[in-house]
């Protein structure tokens, strides 16, 4: 990883669900770019501590904070702890997410509520806490031209319907309007809110979709770029959206998907 340690120098970032996969990579890249990072985790304390240790060994600044992002009191306690230890927040990456898959007519209310609770309500709760702090503090021109940045990790399934995963697709579709409405409301206060919509990225959440040659071959039929994405692909986009290099980008979704949303099934059948 080669990143300018000055790009995000002096900035404080919170990444939810950062003990694995995309969140871990974003935390590592933000730290390599000079930000002090909070590694939020749900249950993987050891993994979170290992990431903290790696970042500190590379002369970065990091702490781990446990919280379930779907619980208001835990989110508020996490932000209080971050503000106590780091003093402020400049960047929120709303990344925590999960799947509870089921055929639609067999889906339980619990499966529905769990996915909406973590993937959508969790993003609302964290964005609200970050927004409150950004508004109280305002812009610090020597740190960033924005009063704060929120990056929502969505999915190509904010636009591609997904049979057998209606709770997940609904949560990601919800993130689109959550993100754009917050962006519209907070833009006058110099707060930027954007999403990254990953396509298929190799992480624990979708292991069965790529961990055998047959599964990977099936997956590649959906990806015009003909490779499954890597967590680095998403982390690099997150660094850009967190930095002043994207200062005029607000309320948009950046698809990082190897062309998955280009409807590749129409390539030869239009
Ligand atoms: P992952 O399973 O490695 O990461 C999800 C993280 O969220 C885990 O660390 C998990 O512990 C955490 N988490 C789950 N419930 C939580 C809760 N209640 N509170 C706090 N943390 C919680 O998988 P990933 O692929 O890295 O997923 C990260 C994000 O990227 C998710 O929002 C996912 O929907 C999205 N995404 C992933 C892909 C992909 O192909 N991997 C594609 C599109 C979108």
């Amino acid at each position: 990883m080669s990143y300018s340690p000055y790009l995000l120098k002096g900035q404080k970032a919170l990444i939810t669900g950062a003990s694995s996969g995309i969140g871990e990579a974003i935390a590592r890249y933000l730290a390599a770019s000079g930000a002090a990072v909070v590694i939020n985790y749900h249950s993987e304390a050891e993994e979170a501590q290992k990431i903290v240790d790696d970042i500190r060994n590379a002369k970065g600044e990091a702490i781990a904070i446990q919280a379930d992002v779907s619980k208001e009191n835990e989110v508020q306690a996490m932000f209080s702890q971050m503000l106590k230890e780091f003093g402020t927040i400049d960047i929120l990456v709303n990344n925590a997410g999960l799947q509870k898959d089921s055929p639609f007519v067999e889906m339980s209310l619990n499966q529905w509520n769990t996915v909406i609770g973590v993937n959508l309500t969790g993003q609302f709760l964290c964005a609200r806490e970050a927004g409150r702090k950004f508004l109280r503090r305002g812009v610090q021109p020597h740190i960033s031209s924005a009063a704060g940045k929120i990056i929502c990790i969505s999915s190509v399934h904010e636009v591609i319907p997904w049979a057998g995963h209606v709770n997940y697709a609904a949560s990601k579709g919800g993130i689109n309007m959550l993100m754009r409405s917050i962006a519209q409301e907070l833009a006058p206060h110099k707060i930027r809110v954007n999403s990254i919509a990953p396509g298929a990225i190799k992480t624990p959440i979708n292991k069965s979709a790529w961990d055998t040659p047959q599964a990977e071959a099936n997956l590649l039929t959906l990806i015009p770029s003909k490779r499954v994405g890597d967590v680095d692909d998403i982390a690099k986009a997150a660094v850009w959206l967190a930095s002043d290099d994207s200062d005029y980008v607000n309320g948009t979704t950046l698809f990082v998907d190897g062309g998955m949303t280009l409807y590749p099934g129409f390539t030869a059948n239009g």
Side-chain angles (χ1 to χ4, degrees):
M1 186 192 312
S2 62
Y3 255 81
S4 162
Y6 304 107
L7 190 64
L8 302 176
K9 196 169 163 19
Q11 303 204 39
K12 319 291 181 193
L14 167 62
I15 305 98
T16 66
S19 57
S20 63
I22 289 170
E24 173 182 350
I26 292 175
R28 289 181 184 276
Y29 271 76
L30 293 183
S33 304
V37 295
V38 172
I39 309 291
N40 159 251
Y41 66 96
H42 181 242
S43 44
E44 300 172 326
E46 262 179 47
E47 288 81 353
Q49 193 52 48
K50 161 95 175 61
I51 299 162
V52 167
D53 293 344
D54 288 350
I55 291 171
R56 288 180 180 167
N57 288 338
K59 309 246 176 294
E61 212 180 324
I63 56 171
I65 304 182
Q66 197 278 334
D68 178 339
V69 296
S70 69
K71 306 249 168 69
E72 185 176 33
N73 58 337
E74 295 191 26
V75 168
Q76 289 177 334
M78 171 170 69
F79 273 79
S80 296
Q81 192 180 337
M82 177 180 185
L83 297 185
K84 208 165 121 212
E85 304 216 19
F86 283 173
T88 194
I89 178 168
D90 303 283
I91 301 160
L92 166 68
V93 182
N94 260 335
N95 166 78
L98 45 68
Q99 292 179 214
K100 298 279 177 203
D101 308 331
S102 163
F104 172 57
V105 295
E106 288 161 27
M107 185 172 285
S108 68
L109 181 59
N110 190 42
Q111 286 171 312
W112 171 267
N113 281 339
T114 302
V115 171
I116 298 295
V118 174
N119 296 12
L120 185 56
T121 308
Q123 294 219 4
F124 157 70
L125 290 170
C126 292
R128 191 183 59 175
E129 291 309 308
R132 286 172 174 168
K133 178 61 191 166
F134 296 159
L135 287 175
R136 275 201 305 274
R137 190 205 52 220
V139 179
Q140 297 174 289
H142 62 292
I143 296 288
S144 170
S145 50
K149 282 92 47 163
I150 298 174
I151 301 170
C152 302
I153 303 302
S154 172
S155 164
V156 288
H157 295 294
E158 77 168 44
V159 293
I160 302 177
W162 205 13
H165 309 258
V166 298
N167 46 2
Y168 184 85
S171 74
K172 297 299 186 179
I175 288 170
N176 177 264
M177 289 309 284
L178 174 74
M179 176 278 290
R180 293 172 66 204
S181 300
I182 302 173
Q184 190 190 60
E185 191 166 331
L186 299 186
H189 302 279
K190 289 203 162 286
I191 294 167
R192 294 194 297 114
V193 190
N194 293 287
S195 287
I196 297 173
I201 310 296
K202 283 190 183 181
T203 73
I205 209 172
N206 59 357
K207 195 162 186 296
S208 61
W210 50 261
D211 73 343
T212 66
Q214 187 54 52
E216 184 159 351
N218 289 344
L219 187 56
L220 288 179
T221 63
L222 300 174
I223 308 173
S225 297
K226 294 298 166 209
R227 80 170 168 85
V228 180
D230 191 73
V231 292
D232 292 13
D233 293 309
I234 307 302
K236 289 172 188 171
V239 169
W240 179 69
L241 279 177
S243 77
D244 285 350
D245 287 350
S246 60
D247 188 52
Y248 206 50
V249 180
N250 203 356
T252 202
T253 298
L254 178 57
F255 286 84
V256 182
D257 68 352
M260 191 177 247
T261 37
L262 295 173
Y263 297 93
F266 280 81
T267 304
N269 303 303

